[in-house]
Amino acid sequence: MGRLTTHVLDTAHGRPAAGLVIELWREKDPLECLGRYTTNDDGRLDGPLLADDAFEPGYYEIRFFAGAYFRLQGVETGEPAFLDIVPVRFGIANADEHYHVPLLIAPYGYSTYRGS
């Protein structure tokens, strides 16, 4: 079976984004929150966001709470922050594959891609 994982790097400070809050949502009718997590010291979660029978094809959204993270780091973000909650919407087509959604984050920009 496949799984869904993530990893967050704080490119403004050149380190993993430890303590960043993440929510996982599934596009259903209505939108369904599957969980709320906090990254560990390596900017990762201690386990996959989805795995086993819960890992199924469909559209998902990971919400990265970047504004709160940077405020906790003492970074001046402005009010409101330029980047507050960063949503990354993506589709899972094959439940037998590993989907990795990393985020590279700074107070004024981010990037993501399908990793391995």
Side-chain angles (χ1 to χ4, degrees), residues 8 22 41 49-51 53 55 63-64 70 94 100 104:
V8 187
I22 296 170
D41 289 343
L49 285 161
L50 282 177
D53 292 338
F55 189 71
R63 296 179 183 173
F64 298 91
F70 282 115
N94 186 338
H100 183 66
L104 308 176

Side-chain angles (χ1 to χ4, degrees), residues 64-85:
F64 298 91
F65 287 75
Y69 166 79
F70 282 115
R71 283 190 291 277
L72 286 173
Q73 301 302 308
V75 174
E76 177 56 47
T77 61
E79 194 55 49
F82 180 72
L83 292 177
D84 187 28
I85 299 171

